[in-house]
Amino acid sequence: MADGRDYLTWTPSLATEAACRFYEQHSRDIQHAASASLILKEYEHLLNAVGSAFSEIAPDGPETLFPGHYQRRERMRKTVKDLTPASAELGLTRCVENFLSYLSDILTDALIARPELLKSQEQVSLEEVLEHGSIDDFVSWAAEKRVAQLSFKGLDEIAQYISKRLGLQLHRDETDWLKLKKGVALRNLIVHRRSIIDQRFIHLTKEKSLKKGDVYETTMNDYVRTAESAMKIVGEFDTEVSTKFSIPQRDTTTQRWFSEGRWGPEGRPSHPQRTTTDASLQGTQPVPGARTSAPGAHQRER
């Protein structure tokens, strides 16, 4: 990111309850995505240590002394490689749904805090009103209903609603927004089209190298870019919406998912331009399978 902070691993020290749920889910998802590669890496470290210890009695190499273990390592490598696209799809899909859930939660909190924002020409029946024991219960129901209606809209329409009704901008940086929008489009392609590229996806992403009918192979880069953008947007927006609508924030430093980020709260002292190829999923561990793909590498013909 431009300010040198690693938004994939950084969480703020104060956050609303909605944001806390978002960060907790993000932490679980990112660890799940990294788990297979981390297990493989530990197994390789163990084999290397055993190989060094027996180097004197195995002049032809430890592979001849423990062939089964080295064959198992190759099978594990192949399995991790084969499963990486599926892990990336799962991670990206969970990331987008987690972000949309945060928006739903925080918008509900804002509307409950300022019921006047619910004013519209929409009519409700007397029966719907009388189903609630108090005006507060009715406001909560109306807020949840409005947010549920919004959830079926596109990301741009949700951002426009937030700007018009709440007087806030959902995002500050257009680059982050475009990355997140691509992640949402990719999530929809995965869920509704089994990753088969259609004209709508080509139009939304504006990637001319894509070919209708091919299968889009999701990479860890796709997941990491989406997750970084979502984390940054939530971190910035949560502070603004909390301040404007007096939504309580709580200390997050005691939570198990709290992290000052790979380079600490101030980011890198000196940070050259970085791509997601050197991003980490947790601590200093590299993103499993994250690498820069050549143009067209996302596609495979059916």
Side-chain angles (χ1 to χ4, degrees):
M1 294 294 178
D3 59 8
R5 179 178 285 158
D6 181 30
Y7 282 95
L8 188 69
T9 57
W10 175 83
T11 51
S13 57
L14 290 173
T16 63
E17 190 61 39
C20 286
R21 289 193 290 268
F22 170 82
Y23 292 128
E24 182 177 13
Q25 184 64 55
H26 170 81
S27 175
R28 287 199 296 263
D29 293 342
I30 217 78
Q31 290 180 64
H32 178 269
S35 58
S37 289
L38 293 177
I39 292 170
L40 173 60
K41 189 173 183 179
E42 289 301 313
Y43 189 76
E44 290 180 327
H45 282 168
L46 177 61
L47 277 186
N48 291 336
V50 171
S52 297
F54 286 88
S55 59
E56 293 185 1
I57 63 173
D60 295 330
E63 292 89 345
T64 60
L65 198 60
F66 307 106
H69 292 290
Y70 282 88
Q71 290 168 7
R72 186 176 295 112
R73 181 190 65 179
E74 293 309 309
R75 290 196 297 270
M76 290 175 66
R77 283 178 174 176
K78 184 179 185 304
T79 299
V80 170
K81 181 180 179 181
D82 291 345
L83 291 180
T84 292
S87 295
E89 284 188 356
L90 178 61
L92 184 142
T93 300
R94 293 283 291 171
C95 174
V96 170
E97 291 171 353
N98 190 27
F99 176 78
L100 295 176
S101 293
Y102 163 76
L103 287 184
S104 177
D105 290 346
I106 199 68
L107 279 175
T108 301
D109 291 342
L111 293 174
I112 290 174
R114 298 276 185 86
E116 64 270 18
L117 295 175
L118 288 166
K119 290 180 180 178
S120 70
Q121 299 300 316
E122 182 181 359
Q123 295 183 346
V124 294
S125 68
L126 181 60
E127 181 182 3
E128 288 174 321
V129 175
L130 295 177
E131 283 178 351
H132 302 90
S134 67
I135 188 63
D136 289 340
D137 288 344
F138 174 75
V139 168
S140 296
W141 170 83
E144 290 174 1
K145 180 182 178 183
R146 185 69 188 96
V147 170
Q149 293 169 341
L150 274 175
S151 67
F152 293 101
K153 306 290 186 180
L155 208 53
D156 281 328
E157 290 180 84
I158 295 175
Q160 290 169 8
Y161 178 86
I162 290 173
S163 176
K164 182 179 178 180
R165 285 299 178 98
L166 274 62
L168 295 172
Q169 297 302 312
L170 181 54
H171 63 93
R172 298 177 186 175
D173 188 283
E174 189 65 19
T175 299
D176 295 325
W177 187 241
L178 291 175
K179 289 179 182 178
L180 183 58
K181 284 178 64 177
K182 180 183 177 181
V184 173
L186 182 50
R187 176 263 178 197
N188 293 338
L189 191 74
I190 293 167
V191 172
H192 301 296
R193 296 277 301 165
R194 295 193 185 93
S195 298
I196 300 172
I197 299 169
D198 57 15
Q199 197 59 46
R200 176 179 173 79
F201 184 71
I202 296 173
H203 174 73
L204 289 172
T205 60
K206 296 180 172 59
E207 294 185 13
K208 296 181 180 179
S209 63
L210 298 177
K211 183 180 177 181
K212 182 179 177 180
D214 284 353
V215 176
Y216 188 101
E217 188 167 304
T218 305
T219 68
M220 281 296 175
N221 263 346
D222 291 317
Y223 173 30
V224 170
R225 278 192 292 262
T226 303
E228 281 184 322
S229 300
M231 287 281 284
K232 185 178 181 185
I233 290 171
V234 168
E236 293 171 344
F237 182 73
D238 198 62
T239 299
E240 294 182 4
V241 73
S242 171
T243 300
K244 183 166 184 176
F245 295 95
S246 301
I247 300 173
Q249 289 186 312
R250 63 183 176 92
D251 180 21
T252 67
T253 57
T254 59
Q255 301 301 309
R256 65 173 185 80
W257 45 260
F258 173 76
S259 170
E260 291 186 335
R262 183 164 37 149
W263 303 304
E266 302 304 322
R268 282 182 175 178
S270 175
H271 49 281
Q273 184 65 33
R274 181 174 70 91
T275 68
T276 54
T277 56
D278 73 302
S280 65
L281 289 179
Q282 185 179 14
T284 58
Q285 299 294 343
V287 175
R291 57 188 181 277
T292 303
S293 299
H298 286 297
Q299 306 170 70
R300 66 178 189 271
E301 294 184 357
R302 299 181 67 193

